[in-house]
Amino acid sequence: FLHDAHADHINVFTIDRYLRESKIGRKLNMFADRQVGSNNDAEKRPRAQTAAGPQKSEIAPATAVAALEAFIAGIGSPDRTGARIVVRNGAHGVELSYVLLDPSEAFGELRREARAVVLAGGTMTPATDVVEQLLPRFGRLSRDTCSPAELMKLDPDNARLFSWSHVVSPSHICSLVIESGPTNTPLKFAFQDQQNTLRIRECGQALAALCNVIPGGVVVFFPSYALLSKMLSVWRENGIIERIARRKPVVTEDAQDVLSEYVEHVRGPHKGAVLLSVVGGRLSEGINFSDELGRAVVMVGVPFPSLASPELNERLTYYESIGQKPTMSTVARPAEQSMGPRARSLYESLCMRAVNQSIGRAIRHRGDFAAIVFLDARYAEPRIARKLPAWIAGPNQSVSSCKFGPALARISSFFKQDFSV
């Protein structure tokens, strides 16, 4: 990187040593703490003296120095880890990011020392690409100093993947892919379809009908804030939000106290509410929607990450090029239509891990029950369906797919069961 940037005359190791030995980051942190006290005093002054309009947000000095220290240490590291410097135009000027593309070198050191390494999580599916990145098959690790026993530990064929069923009975889960809406309009929200007002209205009508048969809270996840905003606009213009609100109050993620408002509606006189959120947003992970707070999770669209991200493009390009000779096709930035099979597999896995995190918000204990509804026909495609977790896909490793009428009848019948038995 330094050579390509015509900065190889700069000794980054000297800069790195100075930053560590001078402890300038820690000193700036102490200074920033004092400034916070001064700012708190300023806030106590009369509003007329301090109301000079909105203030421009600034990065704390200590945070900036810590980021610089990490960046300097990174660019001084060997290139064998597949690292990249990503340059982009940010909100405050040009941004440089040091991205580690190959974690196998660091993980290999840990693996060589341990008898066994266990990676455990509730939403690791799909995990095939994780194993391949940590235990590469193509000899990217420095293995010349490894003993035969250590090489055996680093062999990806010795990795074992285990997946257990959920704590709840399969009868407590109703998972469906709804391919079309009430008027038989296809439900598919690829990027080129996200301005199709007919499909957006159809999706809203389907959601309104679902809210009539689903008790308690309904959590709806969208792929992006842009699509959520577009759908809300169309639904309001066509009276769909008003129709849903007659049955369940509608709460959006941008509300000031969104969770408290949602819980109040669900557990109050309304006995239900609809929460509109975004995959990867603040409500898609780490929050439990157990019992009546999440009787259904509805996924609208498939949340593929944006290919406009330079970091993602570097990661996909590198993953596709592993084990191949460098060519123009492997150096070029992948577009969705021109991705190689390996890059596409990783791209889909990143998407489906986010989906699996979102749908896992509803089932939180053994006696819980919920419906998982996918309002996009693409979830029925084998390459997407097989990356759903086993507890939702069932023994046949596929989620049922049907048109709106049969789906609504099945969901209605599901919630008429006695789950207390």
Side-chain angles (χ1 to χ4, degrees), residues 180-200:
S180 56
T183 64
N184 212 32
T185 300
L187 293 177
K188 184 178 179 181
F189 298 100
F191 182 77
Q192 63 271 19
D193 303 315
Q194 293 183 8
Q195 300 301 316
N196 188 321
T197 55
L198 179 61
R199 292 190 181 186
I200 292 175

Side-chain angles (χ1 to χ4, degrees), residues 13 30 61 71-72 90 117 125 150 226 247 266 271 289 293 324 350 382 400 407:
F13 300 103
M30 296 171 61
F71 183 76
I72 292 295
V117 176
T125 304
E150 289 173 334
R247 185 75 178 187
V266 173
K271 299 297 184 182
F289 294 105
L293 294 181
Q324 301 177 5
L350 293 172
S400 299

Side-chain angles (χ1 to χ4, degrees), residues 38-259:
S38 299
N39 292 339
N40 289 338
D41 292 338
E43 290 176 359
K44 298 176 182 178
R45 298 172 187 169
R47 181 175 297 273
Q49 297 180 17
T50 59
Q55 301 295 316
K56 181 180 179 180
S57 61
E58 296 182 356
I59 300 174
T63 304
V65 173
L68 177 62
E69 288 177 347
F71 183 76
I72 292 295
I75 63 176
S77 300
D79 291 336
R80 68 174 182 269
T81 55
R84 295 285 191 277
I85 303 293
V86 176
V87 183
R88 72 161 114 194
N89 293 322
H92 303 291
V94 175
E95 296 178 3
L96 299 178
S97 300
Y98 183 81
V99 182
L100 179 65
L101 302 176
D102 184 1
S104 62
E105 189 78 22
F107 185 77
E109 295 297 325
L110 173 65
R111 189 72 179 91
R112 274 193 286 260
E113 296 294 328
R115 289 187 178 273
V117 176
V118 178
L119 302 179
T123 52
M124 292 182 65
T125 304
T128 305
D129 62 282
V130 176
V131 174
E132 186 169 307
Q133 290 180 78
L134 295 179
L135 297 172
R137 189 178 299 278
F138 299 107
R140 302 196 306 277
L141 291 173
S142 302
R143 304 188 178 194
D144 48 342
T145 59
C146 294
S147 67
E150 289 173 334
L151 285 174
M152 184 176 296
K153 292 180 181 181
L154 297 171
D155 188 344
D157 290 331
N158 290 328
R160 296 292 180 265
L161 298 178
F162 297 93
S163 179
W164 287 270
S165 58
H166 210 290
V167 295
V168 301
S169 166
S171 64
H172 284 219
I173 303 170
C174 177
S175 57
L176 285 171
V177 177
I178 300 181
E179 299 178 344
S180 56
T183 64
N184 212 32
T185 300
L187 293 177
K188 184 178 179 181
F189 298 100
F191 182 77
Q192 63 271 19
D193 303 315
Q194 293 183 8
Q195 300 301 316
N196 188 321
T197 55
L198 179 61
R199 292 190 181 186
I200 292 175
R201 286 200 304 270
E202 191 79 350
C203 179
Q205 299 288 1
L207 180 60
L210 288 171
C211 289
N212 288 333
V213 299
I214 298 174
V218 178
V219 184
V220 186
F221 286 106
F222 296 81
S224 66
Y225 288 100
L227 183 59
L228 170 57
S229 177
K230 175 66 177 178
M231 287 197 166
L232 271 176
S233 176
V234 174
W235 292 352
R236 287 192 178 109
E237 290 175 1
N238 291 270
I240 297 173
I241 288 291
E242 182 181 356
R243 177 184 166 191
I244 296 173
R246 284 198 295 266
R247 185 75 178 187
K248 298 178 186 290
V250 178
V251 182
T252 58
E253 186 177 307
D254 58 357
Q256 186 162 2
D257 198 358
V258 55
L259 276 179

Side-chain angles (χ1 to χ4, degrees), residues 277-295:
S277 185
V278 173
V279 175
R282 54 179 174 153
L283 302 179
S284 64
E285 53 184 289
I287 297 178
N288 296 339
F289 294 105
S290 60
D291 300 317
E292 70 275 9
L293 294 181
R295 284 300 175 220

